Structure formats: structure tokens, C-alpha cells
Amino acid sequence: MARRRRGRSSNNNQHRETPQNRRGGGGPRKALREPAPFARQTGYETEIPHEKLTIAQARKGTPAQRPVRVYADGIFDLFHSGHARALMQAKNVFPNTYLIVGVCSDELTHKLKGYTVMTEDERYEALRHCRYVDEVVRDAPWTLTPEFLKKHKIDFVAHDDIPYTSAGSEDVYKDIKEAGMFVATQRTEGISTSDVITRIVRDYDIYVRRNLQRGYTARELNVGFIKENKYRLQNQVDKMKETVRTVEEKSKHFVNRVEEKSQDLIHKWEEKSREFIGNFLELFGPDSTWRAIQERSGRMLQALSPYSSPRGSPSSSPTRRRSVSPDSLPPAASPPSSPSYPKKRNRSSIKAASGY
């Protein structure tokens, strides 16, 4: 937490009102939380005398009583990252810089360059909310004059070094360069207002169809009845294609799932079949068949043979004798009975007693 507090305090110290970072005498910009103000119609007024500086003096360090006032101008239509990077370079060209940005009006731009996408008020507001801009000059002149530079107390003008031809002039910054008041910035390749407009014109149909889907009317888009219905039909066709594509993806997913399941089933079936074959060979193989037959025959013989007599019983059961008459039997003699079945009479003794 202490480290975080130190970071905040150092950041606040950077925006304290000191002679080094005063915004041209108009007070500090509150930690970049407010939009940049507009320049006064009467120009910049200060009690401190404005001395002319050279680039070498500005790079070494400005006078303690004021920052270097750098001016950058343009149309800034469809404000993009290329504009912001150019202003960032202009802001950091010197150690202590107060950046003034001039924006040309719609009337002047349409007359000398062409039609803009954004209105002048929209372009003014876009510049006011750029973090590198300290002040915005509305209705800026196309060519900078000594009177304009003196009015706003401008020390240097920042722009890319490519000659800007316009209004019959080979380079509108020629006089500024000769006076030693020009500082060059680098253009950002791959992005410009013309590139953005070219993309919109190239993909015109796509953007019209998109805005129709979002609720814009054909009149607002300046589209005729036939084109409107054509775009709506194309939207319906695209929806049908998307539906078909979704169904195809779902069907492919279903087929893949079925294929995975079938492969799993085949794999399980192969494992079960191997297990079944292994058990079969273990049971009926050449090494186990004779053993199984012997075990079965042993079981059958054990089932057919009588149970052995318990210990302590007579060694042999009574034998059958030839039948005799009852008169020849001794009076006290009685047929022997089996010790394991004392209450039941032997069948052989019964036959002997009956005389059969």
C-alpha cells in the first residue's frame, strides 16, 4: 500500500502548478480529468514577456517562467491513432511543451480539400479529449501567417516533413521552415483518414446491410426501394446459410459422437471376446481336457459308490442265508439287526422269516 501511495503522490506532484508546467498562464490541467479548453478569440495574453526561442534553446530547457508553445494543425477527420501519435510526438518534442492544436472549419475544408465525414464541432470535441492536447484553436487558418503566430505566441510548428501542397502552394510550411520554427514529426504508416474512407466505400454493401439490420431506414441510408429489398433478401439468404451451417456442424458433431461410441463398443467387444476365448481355451485346451474328463469321471464314480460304514460297525453286513423252516430255528435266536438302523428290519431277514 505504501508503494501505491508513493506512486499517486508522485503523479500529483507532476501536475502541481509550478512555473515549469503552467499551461500558458491559464492554470494547470487537473490531472487530465477535464477536456482541453478552446483558445480565446483575442489570442494568448500574459504579463510575462514572450521571448523568441531557438530549437537548440528549447531542447536544452526552456526558461523557468513558461513552457514552449508548440502548434500543430490539421483537419483531423475521423480522429484515429495516426492523429494521436502525431500529437504525442509534438507534445514530447521538447522537455516542457504546451501543445496548441488548430482545427480547420467545415467551410474552409470543403472549399480547399473536400467533404468531411465529421462536422467541425465533432472534430473540435475529438481533439479536446485527446490527452496530449492542451488547447484547441477553432477555425484555424489554412496557411499560417506571422499575425496568427504572434497572436497565439507560438514558438514552433509541428508537422510531418512531407511537403503539403495546397491552394497553389508547393508547401504551406515553407515560410515556417525558413524561419527556423518547424519541428518534424513522423507519420504512422497503414492508417489515415483516406484509408478508413476507402474501406467504407469498398465494403459499402456490407455496411448498408448491417445498418438495415440495426434498424436504420433506407431513407436514412439514401438507399432506393430496389436496393433495399435486394439487401434484405441477401440478409435472409445469409441467415439461411448460417442455419444450414449450424445444422451441418451439429450433424458432424453427432456423427463424430456416434463414431466414438461405436469404437468404444467395438473395443469392449474385442476385450470380451478375448476373455471368452481365453476361458474357453483354459477349459477345453489340450492341457486341460483330460483333467476335466478325469474330474468328471471321478465325480460320477463317487456318486455311484455306496457310502463307507462308520468306524466301530461290523466289518461286513449280514449275509443272506438259504431259507429254512420256522421249526428248525432255535427258540431264542433272532435275526441280527444293523447297528446304524436299529428300528428297521433287514429285507433279507424278513424274507427268511416268511419262508420265501
Side-chain angles (χ1 to χ4, degrees):
M1 292 298 294
R3 187 175 182 182
R4 190 174 297 176
R5 290 194 191 98
R6 285 199 298 269
R8 283 200 299 267
S9 61
S10 62
N11 189 22
N12 291 332
N13 290 333
Q14 292 177 358
H15 297 283
R16 288 179 182 174
E17 185 175 2
T18 61
Q20 288 291 338
N21 61 5
R22 286 181 181 176
R23 300 181 58 259
R29 195 164 158 198
K30 298 180 180 178
L32 298 177
R33 295 177 182 174
E34 296 178 357
F38 291 116
R40 298 178 181 178
Q41 296 293 334
T42 58
Y44 174 59
E45 298 177 358
T46 179
E47 298 177 356
I48 303 173
H50 188 84
E51 299 177 357
K52 186 174 179 61
L53 300 174
T54 63
I55 293 178
Q57 291 174 340
R59 293 190 188 281
K60 289 180 180 179
T62 58
Q65 68 271 17
R66 69 175 183 87
V68 179
R69 295 175 65 84
V70 178
Y71 177 82
D73 60 353
I75 299 169
F76 301 104
D77 192 21
L78 296 175
F79 188 79
H80 50 73
S81 61
H83 295 141
R85 288 179 64 85
L87 297 176
M88 180 186 68
Q89 296 176 56
K91 178 69 174 178
N92 293 284
V93 69
F94 300 119
N96 188 15
T97 302
Y98 183 81
L99 182 60
I100 308 165
V101 179
V103 183
C104 300
S105 64
D106 286 346
E107 181 181 359
L108 188 61
T109 304
H110 298 168
K111 178 181 178 181
L112 298 177
K113 188 172 183 178
Y115 194 76
T116 59
V117 178
M118 300 171 65
T119 64
E120 59 182 35
D121 292 331
E122 293 171 342
R123 293 185 283 117
Y124 297 154
E125 289 300 321
L127 267 299
R128 290 186 66 197
H129 290 84
C130 178
R131 62 183 302 176
Y132 310 113
V133 179
D134 295 305
E135 187 177 309
V136 174
V137 178
R138 293 173 289 187
D139 193 11
W142 197 262
T143 303
L144 300 179
T145 61
E147 293 76 16
F148 179 83
L149 299 176
K150 184 178 180 179
K151 176 181 177 181
H152 294 281
K153 304 295 188 294
I154 296 171
D155 294 312
F156 298 99
V157 177
H159 200 272
D160 60 82
D161 203 12
I162 302 174
Y164 195 88
T165 59
S166 179
S169 175
E170 295 181 357
D171 189 0
V172 295
Y173 299 102
K174 181 180 179 181
D175 296 336
I176 303 296
K177 292 177 181 178
E178 292 176 353
M181 299 176 60
F182 185 85
V183 288
T185 58
Q186 299 295 324
R187 294 178 64 90
T188 303
E189 298 296 333
I191 182 67
S192 67
T193 303
S194 300
D195 292 338
V196 176
I197 295 176
T198 300
R199 297 177 199 172
I200 297 173
V201 173
R202 180 189 61 195
D203 301 327
Y204 169 79
D205 291 347
I206 296 175
Y207 295 122
V208 170
R209 289 167 57 186
R210 184 189 67 173
N211 285 353
L212 285 174
Q213 289 179 341
R214 292 183 177 182
Y216 288 89
T217 63
R219 184 176 181 180
E220 291 174 335
L221 298 173
N222 196 23
V223 175
F225 177 78
I226 296 176
K227 278 195 172 183
E228 178 188 4
N229 287 280
K230 172 187 173 182
Y231 292 141
R232 295 190 183 280
L233 180 61
Q234 289 177 347
N235 291 333
Q236 294 296 328
V237 172
D238 290 343
K239 288 182 180 179
M240 291 296 296
K241 288 181 179 179
E242 186 66 25
T243 303
V244 172
R245 191 180 299 110
T246 303
V247 172
E248 288 181 353
E249 291 178 357
K250 289 183 178 180
S251 61
K252 288 180 181 178
H253 181 68
F254 176 75
V255 171
N256 292 333
R257 289 290 301 275
V258 170
E259 186 177 358
E260 291 176 0
K261 290 291 184 181
S262 62
Q263 290 179 356
D264 292 340
L265 291 174
I266 291 173
H267 183 66
K268 290 180 180 179
W269 180 82
E270 288 178 350
E271 291 180 353
K272 291 293 182 181
S273 62
R274 291 194 190 97
E275 183 180 355
F276 176 76
I277 293 171
N279 294 335
F280 182 83
L281 292 176
E282 184 179 358
L283 184 62
F284 298 103
D287 297 335
S288 303
T289 305
W290 181 247
R291 191 183 305 113
I293 293 173
Q294 286 182 341
E295 290 179 358
R296 288 195 176 186
S297 62
R299 292 173 185 172
M300 293 176 64
L301 291 173
Q302 186 177 0
L304 292 175
S305 63
Y307 293 99
S308 59
S309 300
R311 296 180 180 179
S313 61
S315 60
S316 61
S317 59
T319 58
R320 295 181 63 181
R321 296 179 181 178
R322 194 166 36 181
S323 61
V324 294
S325 61
D327 296 335
S328 62
L329 292 174
S334 61
S337 59
S338 173
S340 57
Y341 302 96
K343 293 183 179 181
K344 291 184 180 180
R345 299 180 65 183
N346 203 352
R347 185 180 293 181
S348 61
S349 63
I350 293 173
K351 288 183 178 182
S354 60
Y356 291 101

